[in-house]
Amino acid sequence: MKVGFIAKSAIARLRCSFGKTTPLRVLHRITTSCNLKCSFCDHQLHAVSKNELSTDEIKSAMDEFAAAGTIAWGITGGEPFLRRDLLEIIRHSKKLGFLTSCITNGTVAKDDQIAEAAKWLDYLVTSMEGPLEITDRIRGKGVFDKVVHTIEIARSNNLPVIVGTVITRDLLEAGGIEFMGKLCRQMGIRCSFQNLLLSGPYGGHGFQDAKPNIVPHEPSRRMLFRAIDEILAMRTKGYPFVNNKPWGDYVKAFINGNLKPPTCFAGRLYCNFFEDGVLRTCQYHPVTVKENTIAESIQRLPGEFKDCPCVAICYVNYNLALSFNLPMMIDGFRNALAGKH
């Protein structure tokens, strides 16, 4: 993250104290279509939307977000590369000066698409669930090799890559944390571990029906805590892990039932933009708004939730940093100075 973005975030945070809403970071679910059926994913709970915005409608909305103060645009899905206009959207995002990222499952994009995206993206995010056997068991046969190839093409085009790995029982029983550390170090990428999102407030509202799919992959509390300790210990030894101690302390406190959650800035300093033009406070909260303009929608988003703490790493990191958690802020500054995202 560039230092300039931190400065703009600090100004917006100060203005937020006086009631001013600024959508600094927008996570844009550009499509619900996906070519995979990962065993623990909630995607199957959502019908494929037939009401996706057109290219021009998306670009117009992005222009409005830019006018409202947005500085970072993250594209997700479904699988974004299933949209034929994705590269045009990425180019427009960069034209607006956004810190631009894209989350992909790493199995769809052709080599030339990755090479073109690399000209405009600040970083690419993909997914891997550990060694080949575990990744293919969860995501589908042949996925591991496809993801590795996508990463290799991205890196050959100097595109930074973060690989997301869910902390499942499968991963831990296979020694997957050490595997991911060595693989990421070898490939010159970073790894962001995400604890398994369960039903209820742990994973956000709306996930109750996914519980039966998730249970077989759920590690015990003891396994999860050991995994967190291993991740943090390896990070101190130089392994390229995104996760830091404030994140680890937060997750443990939540699981132990003694978490004092920081202020949630969903709907005030970041929000989600869905494929049909609806704005949502965050990915997991059901409150949605769709007004005539983006500015009107933003102002109607509710904020400061206190009843639904979640442990998705991106939200944990945002809220801790914006709540002036010193260790998280220091880690953010170090990453900014090192050119990391």
Side-chain angles (χ1 to χ4, degrees):
M1 182 183 293
K2 299 178 182 178
V3 176
F5 285 90
I6 292 181
K8 291 179 180 178
S9 298
I11 294 172
R13 172 63 180 87
L14 179 62
R15 297 176 69 194
C16 182
S17 299
F18 296 94
K20 177 64 176 178
T21 296
T22 307
L24 288 171
R25 187 185 190 280
V26 176
L27 183 62
H28 178 200
R29 189 172 80 179
I30 197 170
T31 182
T32 58
S33 298
C34 187
N35 60 307
L36 299 182
K37 293 183 179 179
C38 303
S39 57
F40 55 63
C41 184
D42 74 303
H43 179 70
Q44 66 270 22
L45 300 179
H46 306 293
V48 174
S49 175
K50 297 181 180 179
N51 192 29
E52 294 181 357
L53 298 181
S54 68
T55 307
D56 288 342
E57 287 173 326
I58 291 174
K59 291 166 70 173
S60 177
M62 294 171 76
D63 292 343
E64 290 188 62
F65 274 109
T70 297
I71 60 176
W73 195 267
I75 300 172
T76 185
E79 171 47 50
F81 277 96
L82 290 176
R83 278 197 62 133
R84 296 180 179 180
D85 60 354
L86 177 63
L87 293 176
E88 183 176 352
I89 299 302
I90 290 174
R91 285 193 291 269
H92 191 69
S93 176
K94 206 58 189 171
K95 178 182 176 181
L96 292 172
F98 295 157
L99 180 72
T100 308
S101 61
C102 181
I103 302 174
T104 173
N105 61 37
T107 68
V108 173
K110 296 180 174 61
D111 292 2
D112 59 338
Q113 290 178 306
I114 296 294
E116 179 64 22
K119 299 176 182 178
W120 311 97
L121 284 177
D122 288 284
Y123 62 100
L124 185 76
V125 182
T126 189
S127 302
M128 186 179 290
E129 305 313 327
L132 184 151
E133 178 184 352
I134 305 301
T135 296
D136 283 9
R137 183 195 307 164
I138 292 175
R139 295 192 174 272
K141 186 176 181 179
V143 168
F144 180 90
D145 289 337
K146 291 178 180 178
V147 173
V148 168
H149 179 75
T150 293
I151 294 172
E152 289 174 340
I153 297 301
R155 296 302 297 125
S156 69
N157 285 277
N158 298 314
L159 176 59
V161 175
I162 296 176
V163 60
T165 299
V166 180
I167 305 175
T168 59
R169 176 180 292 271
D170 317 65
L171 175 80
L172 302 183
E173 291 178 343
I177 292 175
E178 181 178 2
F179 173 86
M180 291 306 302
K182 291 179 178 179
L183 179 69
C184 290
R185 177 181 277 182
Q186 176 185 344
M187 299 191 75
I189 62 178
R190 303 177 75 203
C191 184
S192 176
F193 290 98
Q194 173 61 64
N195 35 290
L196 196 60
L197 296 176
L198 302 175
S199 61
Y202 184 87
H205 298 275
F207 278 73
Q208 287 81 354
D209 294 336
K211 182 76 172 176
N213 296 333
I214 293 174
V215 168
H217 301 287
E218 182 182 352
S220 67
R221 177 186 305 205
R222 185 176 182 182
M223 291 176 71
L224 177 59
F225 283 16
R226 283 183 174 179
I228 291 172
D229 292 342
E230 182 180 0
I231 291 168
L232 298 180
M234 290 183 66
R235 189 180 197 259
T236 62
K237 295 179 181 178
Y239 283 91
F241 293 160
V242 172
N243 307 71
N244 55 25
K245 191 174 184 302
W247 162 83
D249 291 342
Y250 186 103
V251 173
K252 286 183 177 181
F254 181 86
I255 300 297
N256 284 330
N258 56 11
L259 174 67
K260 295 181 179 179
T263 300
C264 178
F265 291 92
R268 295 189 292 163
L269 291 179
Y270 59 85
C271 64
N272 282 44
F273 183 51
F274 277 39
E275 72 287 338
D276 56 0
V278 164
L279 265 68
R280 222 174 195 182
T281 49
C282 76
Q283 188 171 355
Y284 305 115
H285 203 281
V287 179
T288 60
V289 176
K290 187 175 183 179
E291 293 294 328
N292 293 327
T293 67
I294 294 297
E296 290 172 335
S297 295
I298 291 169
Q299 294 306 315
R300 288 200 59 198
L301 284 174
E304 198 166 358
F305 299 103
K306 297 180 180 179
D307 61 341
C308 60
C310 70
V311 285
I313 183 172
C314 52
Y315 297 123
V316 171
N317 287 359
Y318 295 157
N319 289 332
L320 286 176
L322 293 169
S323 297
F324 305 119
N325 177 280
L326 187 58
M328 184 64 75
M329 292 175 67
I330 291 174
D331 193 61
F333 277 116
R334 286 175 175 172
N335 286 336
L337 293 174
K340 298 177 181 178
H341 303 288

